[in-house]
Amino acid sequence: MPGGMSAQDDAAWAPVRHRFPVLRRQTYLNCAALGPMPDFLLETYQQAVLERQHLTPGSAAERARAALAQYLGVDGASLSFWTNTTQAINIVAGSIDWRPGDEVVVNASDFPSNVLPWLRLRDRGVVVRAAALEEGRLPLKAIAAHVTSKTRLVALSHVLYQTGYRTDLDALGQFLHQRGIWLSVDGIQALGLMRPPLDHVDFYMGASFKHLLGPRGLGLLYVQPQVADALVPAMVGYASVALDMDDPAGLADLVQGRTPLRYREQAGRFQLAHVNTEGLSALADLLSFFDALGWDAIADRVLSLSGLALAGLARLPGVRLVTPQDDAERLSLAVFRVDGWDAHAVVERLAAHQIVCAAREGAVRAAFHVYNDASDVERLVMAVRELVGG
Ligand SMILES: Cc1ncc(COP(=O)(O)O)c(C=O)c1O
């Protein structure tokens, strides 16, 4: 639970803020859409290009895998790399041996990428049940109401992109595992802001371009090891099978049906082919940057900043908060509505003050990260006050 914020806090975080050139021009509160890259990634990419220019062997993929495994508290072999979150969700949905009548529970208001791949399973006889938000939240009871003896999987987001509600993954995962149900979590709105608790999660996916502050085109997927070994990957490539590339007879034996296709263990079976190695260099450097700041300190900082924004906004007449105010139910987002104002119009008015927010489902979303400080919160609250004439 974060305490109040002080000027000393801002002073302590000032060296971090200086690493983000975007803040010299803008009050950037939109990393829930696209994270700004810190300055040191220029050097990372230069190094990656030099490695390719001279074809010096690099170790980016191994470094990123090890750093990510440490961050998530999982085995490196349980991770695979993709292009984006959406692709990783599709891989999970497509790799399970669905039987007609199996049931999946989704959040009817989730980001479309975490609804569509599950809806498509209706073609395979799967029943998709949709839980509805209750005042911006998706509490356990709202999900439990849709769980039956046929439910095999629940798919939802760790942090909801349009309200900022944070799911208690330990409580939900334990409830589901007691019933033999898998939990699949889109973590893109939490990765880079906290350590996700994965003890009771079977699938956790995300991408590097939001709060991880990394490149686009780099997605990641964690699959709980025992679950992974039971899945048949939806796609197959040379990297996903136990195939000796130096032995042409190996492929011939497969083609002739003399040997069966054997998938690699754990997440190895999902990895198809080449991955975004240059992007992984950036991810490895970003993870060591975050690690040096400390994950608890990062989570406390973003909770404090967004909490300060919520408290300041709540005091304004005509402003209604969408994000729950309890720290246990939120993370870095401060989402609000302004009576009589269209959210896009508010976002435009804020942009005129060089404050960058987003409009999502009729509400204004401000997203905080470690590079923000109390002056950013104040600018946001003052600009909204000007709108409502408070
Ligand atoms: C909750 C959520 N899931 C998925 C995505 C899409 O991510 P990707 O482009 O990595 O598939 C977004 C935002 O773009 C999002 O907010």
Side-chain angles (χ1 to χ4, degrees):
M1 201 57 102
M5 287 199 31
S6 67
Q8 286 97 316
D9 287 334
D10 279 355
W13 288 90
V16 173
R17 187 173 173 88
H18 287 136
R19 310 233 61 159
F20 292 84
V22 71
L23 298 170
R24 290 174 210 146
R25 293 180 289 111
Q26 296 172 340
T27 300
Y28 193 75
L29 302 177
N30 200 21
C31 65
L34 182 64
M37 283 185 171
D39 58 3
F40 62 81
L41 284 193
L42 267 182
E43 209 179 302
T44 306
Y45 270 92
Q46 191 178 26
Q47 189 57 36
V49 172
L50 281 171
E51 278 177 13
R52 285 293 300 279
Q53 277 180 351
H54 299 283
L55 296 175
T56 31
S59 57
E62 292 70 31
R63 269 197 319 128
R65 184 182 295 279
L68 199 57
Q70 197 199 7
Y71 164 43
L72 298 175
V74 301
D75 190 325
S78 63
L79 300 169
S80 54
F81 297 112
W82 299 91
T83 307
N84 48 50
T85 318
T86 305
Q87 195 185 30
I89 297 169
N90 272 280
I91 286 299
V92 172
S95 300
I96 295 171
D97 62 333
W98 300 106
R99 297 167 302 240
D102 282 348
E103 295 184 5
V104 170
V105 180
V106 300
N107 165 10
S109 315
D110 213 329
F111 193 82
S113 297
N114 203 19
V115 178
L116 300 172
W118 308 110
L119 284 187
R120 228 164 51 135
L121 297 174
R122 284 176 172 161
D123 297 347
R124 294 166 67 175
V126 173
V127 176
V128 181
R129 295 181 182 271
L133 297 191
E134 297 176 0
E135 295 179 353
R137 299 169 168 82
L138 192 62
L140 208 163
K141 66 177 170 45
I143 299 160
H146 293 273
V147 166
T148 74
S149 60
K150 300 223 169 121
T151 309
R152 281 191 79 191
L153 181 141
V154 170
L156 43 71
S157 286
H158 191 173
V159 172
L160 277 182
Y161 78 104
Q162 81 279 50
T163 74
Y165 173 78
R166 172 158 57 108
T167 303
D168 179 344
L169 296 183
D170 279 337
L172 176 63
Q174 282 178 55
F175 170 86
L176 296 176
H177 282 177
Q178 279 157 9
R179 290 157 181 79
I181 299 167
W182 285 332
L183 175 58
S184 175
V185 181
D186 174 343
I188 195 170
Q189 295 292 357
L191 284 166
L193 297 168
M194 66 176 288
R195 254 203 175 113
L198 298 184
D199 284 354
H200 307 284
V201 173
D202 302 286
F203 309 98
Y204 193 90
M205 61 286 284
S208 90
F209 69 95
K210 292 189 192 284
H211 314 280
L212 280 167
L213 312 175
R216 282 172 277 214
L218 178 56
L220 48 104
L221 170 64
Y222 158 75
V223 184
Q224 200 266 317
Q226 277 107 33
V227 175
D229 288 341
L231 302 184
V232 177
M235 292 196 282
V236 63
Y238 63 84
S240 41
V241 290
L243 183 66
D244 182 353
M245 296 287 283
D246 291 328
D247 174 15
L251 189 59
D253 281 346
L254 275 175
V255 172
Q256 298 303 326
R258 289 191 288 268
T259 54
L261 204 55
R262 279 187 303 110
Y263 300 105
R264 285 176 52 210
E265 285 181 359
Q266 290 207 38
R269 64 184 48 204
F270 299 111
Q271 202 65 77
L272 302 175
H274 278 98
V275 291
N276 178 355
T277 311
E278 293 76 15
L280 288 173
S281 292
L283 183 63
D285 285 359
L286 285 161
L287 287 169
S288 59
F289 164 75
F290 288 130
D291 201 47
L293 297 175
W295 285 106
D296 287 347
I298 293 170
D300 276 1
R301 178 74 174 161
V302 299
L303 269 168
S304 295
L305 289 166
S306 52
L308 199 64
L310 289 168
L313 291 163
R315 282 195 287 271
L316 301 179
V319 173
R320 283 175 296 124
L321 301 185
V322 173
T323 304
Q325 277 178 283
D326 183 343
D327 284 355
E329 292 191 331
R330 59 180 201 86
L331 186 57
S332 72
L333 303 183
V335 185
F336 58 98
R337 293 176 201 275
V338 182
D339 284 347
W341 282 82
D342 172 70
H344 289 280
V346 176
V347 166
E348 265 176 41
R349 291 290 285 263
L350 294 174
H353 293 272
Q354 277 72 51
I355 301 169
V356 184
C357 291
R360 291 287 181 275
E361 298 198 2
V364 182
R365 182 182 71 188
F368 292 87
H369 210 320
V370 289
Y371 47 71
N372 293 119
D373 67 13
S375 74
D376 295 331
V377 174
E378 200 180 322
R379 268 192 291 278
L380 172 69
V381 175
M382 293 299 282
V384 178
R385 171 177 292 159
E386 202 179 294
L387 282 185
V388 297

